Amino acid sequence: MIFDTHAHYDDEQFHEDRDELLGAVHDGGVGTIVNVGSDVASWEDIRTLVGKYPFIYGAAGVHPDDVGELDEEKFSRLKEILQEEKFVAVGEIGLDYYWDNESHEIQKAWFIRQLDLARELGMPVIIHSRDAAADTFEIMKEHAEGLDGVIHCFSYSVELAREYVKRGFYIGIGGVVTFKNSRKLKEVVVDTPLESLVLETDCPYLAPVPNRGKRNSSLNLTYVAEEIASLKGVTYEEVVKTTEENARRLYHMEP
């Protein structure tokens, strides 16, 4: 079954038909979903989702665009939530120099704090990095030694992907790989061992071709898996099976 390692079903774009959509994913070949936190408000919504749906697990953290809302009290609450049943990762955390909502120094400080929290709790991390390749890698080298996790929505070079894989990290591949102009990501998929790739939607964002521009969902991962299979010259079934096994290792989940 397909394992969606990164979704945002707490997003308001799902408010009207969330239950209907999530009720249909299993028939669409999707077996497991990790719903990922982005801001403080998302944590409670994710707690509700993981309590309601047996196949949904949670991650909690604060996206770099929103780290300005963190303080010591909220950080303590984050630690409490991450120790609850069905929470499997710290994320998404990292650096975003594209939107630059927060100063680089504040982003870096809370990124490091959340990496340290993951180490303390023995949890994997979900890394967001946009237009911040060098600083992300420097922080990861210094503060993520011994941690495992995934570089979500990977958008950098083949060489950098190799460095992260060498350090035991997975590379998250979503709808962008189906875009005609995604030559660099296609090269990363070809170069990276299938055993180091995981499937993700980042839904409701980044829907693959043929649904590009529409609201994304886990059901669209069939197109991503087909594209990976084509690029790597393997079967669709092998992609789904291997990426599911990878995701379970990533999130320390029993097979």
Side-chain angles (χ1 to χ4, degrees), residues 162-173:
R162 287 176 187 165
E163 289 297 323
Y164 279 120
V165 168
K166 201 187 298 180
R167 286 167 167 75
F169 280 78
Y170 291 91
I171 304 298
I173 306 296

Side-chain angles (χ1 to χ4, degrees), residues 116-133:
D116 290 343
L117 179 60
R119 176 174 284 102
E120 181 186 344
L121 298 176
M123 299 183 85
V125 289
I126 300 166
I127 304 299
H128 172 104
S129 181
R130 189 171 186 188
D131 288 2

Side-chain angles (χ1 to χ4, degrees), residues 3 23 34 43 59-60 64 71 97 181 197 203 228 243-244:
F3 192 129
V34 171
W43 303 341
D71 55 31
Y97 294 173
N181 61 352
L197 299 178
C203 66
I228 293 172
T243 55
E244 181 184 21

Side-chain angles (χ1 to χ4, degrees), residues 8 18 44 67 79 94 143 154 157 160 163 165 189 191 193 204 218 232 244 248:
H8 298 284
R18 183 180 290 111
E44 293 303 321
V67 288
K79 182 177 177 179
H143 298 277
F154 192 84
S157 66
L160 195 53
E163 289 297 323
V165 168
V189 168
D191 187 78
S218 304
K232 297 195 76 64
E244 181 184 21
R248 293 192 175 280

Side-chain angles (χ1 to χ4, degrees), residues 1-5 170-171 192-199 225 228-229 232 234-251 255:
M1 298 283 279
I2 288 171
F3 192 129
D4 185 352
T5 61
Y170 291 91
I171 304 298
T192 304
L194 185 57
E195 290 70 24
S196 294
L197 299 178
V198 291
L199 302 180
I228 293 172
K232 297 195 76 64
V234 298
T235 65
Y236 170 85
E237 290 75 17
E238 185 176 349
V239 171
V240 170
K241 178 177 183 292
T242 304
T243 55
E244 181 184 21
E245 291 168 354
N246 298 345
R248 293 192 175 280
R249 277 196 302 273
L250 160 63
Y251 289 131

Side-chain angles (χ1 to χ4, degrees), residues 39-47 60-62 74 77-78 81:
D39 57 16
V40 173
S42 68
W43 303 341
E44 293 303 321
D45 294 331
I46 295 169
R47 291 178 76 224
V62 177
K74 288 168 184 162
R77 178 63 181 145
L78 172 61
I81 288 171

Side-chain angles (χ1 to χ4, degrees), residues 48-69:
T48 300
L49 280 170
V50 303
K52 185 171 185 178
Y53 296 98
F55 57 89
I56 296 183
Y57 294 79
V62 177
H63 186 289
D65 286 345
D66 295 291
V67 288
E69 66 182 12

